Amino acid sequence: MNRTYYITTPIYYVNDVPHIGHAYTTLAADVLARYKKMRGYDVFFLTGSDEHGQKVEKAANSAGETPLELADRVVKRFQSLWERLDIDYTDFIRTTQERHKKGVSHLFTKVMEKGDIYLGEYEDWYCTPCEAFWTETQLMDGKCPDCNRPVDKLKEESYFFRMSKYQDQLLAHIEANPDFIQPKSRRNEIISFVKEGLRDLSVSRTSFTWGIPVPGNDKHVIYVWFDALTNYITALGYPDEAGNFGTYWPVDVHLIGKDILRFHAVYWPTFLMAAELPLPRKVFAHGWWTVEGQKMSKSLQNVVEPNMLIEKYGVDAVRYFLLREVPFGLDGDFSHTALVHRINSDLANDLGNLLSRSTAMTSKYFGGVVPEPAALQEIDEAYRAKTVEMVHQVDGLMDEQAFSKALQCIWEVISAGNKYIDETAPWTLAKDPDKKDRLATVMYCLLESQRIVNTLLSAFMPKTAVKALSCLGWTSPANDTALAWGLLAPGTVIAKAEPLFPRIEEKPE
Ligand code: MSP
């Protein structure tokens, strides 16, 4: 039986069209899922859409359609973007699906029967765009502390979840499990938040109807976050606790943006505690992208549309850039200049050039056939050892969701390859027939190191890696065993590589 690995993205609201912020979380999840698959895990990768709530109801009203019509229309935009971005998810859950509604009702009933959901009255400040309630003291200058927009005072009958009851248990869990909330700075924020005291949470609404009815009282719909968070288990077939739920839960990592950490690191675990279900192993909150130094927003008309980027630069360049440019967990800035720079320097110069140089020399000196290496000398051994060490390091970094560092580590080996060519000077060796063995060894090391590099890169840039590997005559699947040194068989026919990434000379906009 393979070890399992369950990874999720947030489910995206259907009242917005996808932009690079959404693409970022999904891409990171895809890279990790592909990587874990390659390392032999049985991976379940979930994404989906969050289709209930007042915002969707309002957006549908103003577009003159039903909420479900709107959801059906927008969800296709997400799904087609995921296809273009080569996102290889296992399942896509929509919160309007029966399987989801059934699971949410079950969870709600279970927690209510336990006495942890009760009927009360609610009065507080509500931010409609954020779908969040705030206490008087949480407001910033009387406005929503998250988005700085005006809030309304709301009083309504509401069901409450006894979140306060779980405060100590949650704190103890966070403290006993340093990996539970990552990165560390975010973990500290949550610890302070919980220490300030957890209030009971309103988990139903009567002010709109687009949602899952409260079991037994359909005047109320279930609060969107109770509904949305539960997707992570309904997609596994919950309440059926056998099947996928039994196999994959608890989740290995929920990848999310920093703005929705509290929901994932406080609300969700306490719901699960109440339901007596195991908690997620890790919640990782990444940072936010600004665009050319500014917050991305519709009103500034600076929303970066991933389809446009893919058309202009190609899918793998976009995948590479987003994960390489900014350490996962920190905020970062998107600019065309930075993207073009990465393409020209990392992809065209370093990665692409190394492959072109090595395959061109193999064609020239060995008729396009992988030569038989002789004994490795010190310089070859150092290059081999660096390649082998990279495989080990990348594995640790991927477990920490340190995608940018993992790519840096791979690029050190690519740079070492270019340096190795300069230092061994194959063109000089080629002039001396007595140095044929030496030349063969150098060529072999170059090709073999790149076979391993491109195998690792298949998680990040699937199309490019397949192209590069097929130039190297390697058509076996990229898997765990393919990462060992020495598998490229002498006698294998290779192809002279076309540039993987042509340089972009034009001035970026
Ligand atoms: N529907 C909720 C999530 C429910 S999960 C049970 C939601 N949806 S969202 O569509 O608004 O946002 C989804 C994700 O996109 C969040 O993780 C958010 O952080 C991310 N991003 C939105 N804009 C972003 C940037 N500008 N930069 C990086 N990520 C951003 O929240």
Side-chain angles (χ1 to χ4, degrees), residues 118-124 133 154-160 202-208 214 216-221:
Y118 60 90
L119 191 60
E121 198 172 60
Y122 199 85
E123 186 180 54
D124 230 330
F133 278 92
L154 276 195
K155 187 171 184 173
E156 57 174 333
E157 182 187 87
S158 171
Y159 286 90
F160 284 86
S202 160
V203 286
S204 78
R205 296 288 181 269
T206 51
S207 47
F208 61 93
V214 165
N217 185 353
D218 57 16
K219 259 189 7 213
H220 290 250
V221 291

Side-chain angles (χ1 to χ4, degrees), residues 445-505:
C445 290
L446 275 171
L447 299 171
E448 180 59 349
S449 174
Q450 286 179 84
R451 188 189 61 76
I452 297 174
V453 158
N454 281 290
T455 301
L456 282 180
L457 284 181
S458 65
F460 292 86
M461 299 190 283
K463 288 203 170 87
T464 305
V466 166
K467 244 201 253 172
L469 288 170
S470 80
C471 284
L472 296 168
W474 186 260
T475 47
S476 317
N479 61 26
D480 229 6
T481 44
L483 291 165
W485 180 274
L487 299 179
L488 193 58
T492 305
V493 177
I494 63 142
K496 210 165 138 183
E498 295 303 316
L500 292 177
F501 292 92
R503 282 184 67 85
I504 300 176
E505 300 299 348

Side-chain angles (χ1 to χ4, degrees), residues 31 47 54 140 182 294-295 301 310 359 375 421 445 452:
V31 168
T47 190
Q54 195 167 12
M140 303 270 277
Q182 284 293 319
Q294 282 187 306
K295 194 175 171 187
Q301 296 192 318
I310 297 169
T359 55
I421 297 182
C445 290
I452 297 174

Side-chain angles (χ1 to χ4, degrees), residues 10-13 19 21-22 50 225 232 257 259 286 288-289 296:
I11 48 172
Y12 301 99
Y13 287 131
H19 56 59
H22 306 125
D50 189 354
W225 279 101
Y232 299 130
D259 54 317
H286 64 69
W288 265 46
W289 285 90
M296 194 164 40

